[in-house]
């Protein structure tokens, strides 16, 4: 047995993967009878699994609701395989640390997960893109003081098990939702009006951007100051705005190269 570091890890079809993990549960149904010698017998039950993939970049290789034939390798030849659905896509920008753009996929099993042969390699040199200097625009107004943003796109998953799923959970894709979180330093600038819709452009280069329309301001957190910590603070006060997607005609969510919502017919 060789202990692996993950240095040769890869996911088939997705370049520049920095992390992948899966969680599998057999969920057996415990059984106790007169003949089981005072111990539980673990049989039957419903199998399900889920996982996460993080890769460098800011475009959605998959969008919520997409089917994915997941092949995750731990050394180029072994790992796990299984059919999955993409439940959530999260793109994040952190201006505070100027950490490169990353995209996270949350996947849920749509059939059995198999441990064993999993052939996948990635020899493409990554191209990190830093968020420093990239604009955030609300309508026609360029915002200042933004220290980070997080865009989360999701499809509801409706799990089911039937006589033809062989004791494994499958899912039906449900409603689409999106959330945009903006973190900003406290300043004298006016915040957007509460409970109103806004169209954003989240730039990932000087010219390319995510278009995120019809986002309703539904929450504000930590707006104010904390003088108790005066003398210990190493950064100015900051607050958070949460915007939630509200479907509207002639409004869109697009990554720099493709439309995410409304879905293609």
């Amino acid at each position: 047995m060789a202990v692996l570091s993950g240095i040769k890890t890869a996911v088939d079809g997705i370049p520049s993967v920095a992390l992948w993990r899966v969680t599998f549960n057999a969920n057996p149904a415990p059984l106790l009878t007169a003949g089981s010698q005072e111990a539980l017998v673990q049989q039957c039950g419903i199998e399900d699994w889920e996982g996460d993939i993080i890769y460098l970049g800011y475009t959605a290789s998959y969008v919520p609701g997409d089917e994915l034939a997941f092949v995750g390798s731990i050394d180029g030849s072994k790992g796990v395989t299984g059919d999955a659905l993409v439940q959530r896509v999260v793109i994040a920008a952190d201006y505070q640390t100027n950490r490169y753009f990353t995209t996270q996929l949350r996947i849920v099993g749509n059939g059995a997960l198999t441990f064993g042969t999993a052939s996948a390699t990635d020899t493409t040199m990554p191209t990190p893109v830093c968020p420093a200097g990239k604009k955030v625009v609300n309508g026609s107004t360029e915002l200042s003081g933004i220290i980070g943003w997080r865009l989360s796109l999701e499809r509801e998953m409706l799990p089911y098990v039937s006589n033809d799923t062989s004791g494994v959970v499958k899912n039906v894709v449900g409603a689409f939702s999106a959330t945009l979180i903006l973190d900003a330093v406290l300043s004298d600038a006016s915040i957007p009006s509460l409970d109103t819709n806004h169209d954003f452009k989240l730039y990932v280069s000087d010219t390319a951007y995510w278009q995120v329309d019809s986002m309703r301001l539904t929450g504000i957190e930590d707006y104010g100051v904390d003088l108790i910590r005066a003398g210990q603070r190493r950064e100015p006060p900051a607050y958070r705005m949460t915007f939630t997607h509200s479907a509207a005609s002639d409004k869109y969510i697009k990554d720099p190269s493709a439309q995410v919502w409304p879905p293609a017919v």
Side-chain angles (χ1 to χ4, degrees):
M1 181 190 76
V3 177
L4 301 177
S5 68
I7 202 68
K8 292 184 178 180
T9 191
V11 173
D12 187 50
I14 304 179
S16 300
V17 169
L19 175 153
W20 73 261
R21 288 177 179 156
V22 297
T23 299
F24 167 82
N25 290 291
N27 301 306
L31 170 68
L32 182 66
T33 70
S36 64
Q37 304 300 313
E38 303 179 6
L40 295 172
V41 175
Q42 305 287 348
Q43 292 292 338
C44 300
I46 301 298
E47 296 181 2
D48 66 358
W49 66 277
E50 58 190 11
D52 291 285
I53 306 167
I54 295 178
Y55 62 89
L56 269 63
Y58 48 73
T59 58
S61 299
Y62 294 87
V63 299
D66 278 354
E67 296 179 351
L68 170 63
F70 179 70
V71 179
S73 177
I74 56 175
D75 63 358
S77 62
K78 298 184 181 69
V80 296
T81 59
D83 291 334
L85 291 170
V86 177
Q87 179 181 26
R88 185 186 309 120
V89 178
V90 179
I91 303 93
D94 186 347
Y95 299 99
Q96 286 272 70
T97 63
N98 196 27
R99 185 176 176 85
Y100 40 79
F101 285 103
T102 59
T103 299
Q104 179 174 356
L105 303 180
R106 180 67 168 177
I107 61 175
V108 296
N110 199 41
L113 183 69
T114 301
F115 288 79
T117 300
S119 179
T121 58
D122 180 12
T123 58
T124 303
M125 188 62 65
T127 306
V129 177
C130 307
K134 307 301 189 293
K135 296 183 293 185
V136 176
V137 178
N138 181 4
S140 60
T141 302
E142 182 177 344
L143 303 181
S144 61
I146 302 298
I147 59 177
W149 57 260
R150 178 183 174 92
L151 176 62
S152 178
L153 313 172
E154 188 165 352
R155 290 295 291 264
E156 178 186 31
M157 293 291 161
L158 309 175
Y160 73 96
V161 180
S162 65
N163 65 322
D164 55 354
T165 68
S166 300
V168 176
V169 173
K170 289 196 172 185
N171 287 273
V172 174
V173 176
F176 174 86
S177 62
T179 302
L180 173 63
I181 293 175
L182 294 181
D183 291 327
V185 292
L186 188 66
S187 69
D188 59 359
S190 298
I191 66 172
S193 298
L194 299 173
D195 205 26
T196 53
N197 286 355
H198 304 270
D199 298 338
F200 287 96
K201 292 179 180 178
L202 309 171
Y203 279 78
V204 292
S205 74
D206 291 340
T207 57
Y209 54 83
W210 271 85
Q211 178 181 334
V212 189
D213 291 343
S214 195
M215 301 299 290
R216 194 170 191 85
L217 180 57
T218 55
I220 296 178
E221 300 175 46
D222 298 329
Y223 188 85
V225 296
D226 180 3
L227 298 181
I228 294 175
R229 295 177 62 235
Q232 303 174 22
R233 295 175 300 180
R234 302 186 63 180
E235 57 190 39
Y239 67 100
R240 169 168 291 183
M241 294 174 282
T242 300
F243 298 82
T244 305
H245 181 247
S246 180
S249 60
D250 300 323
K251 298 292 184 178
Y252 303 92
I253 295 179
K254 301 177 181 179
D255 79 3
S257 59
Q259 182 170 305
V260 176
W261 183 89
V265 177

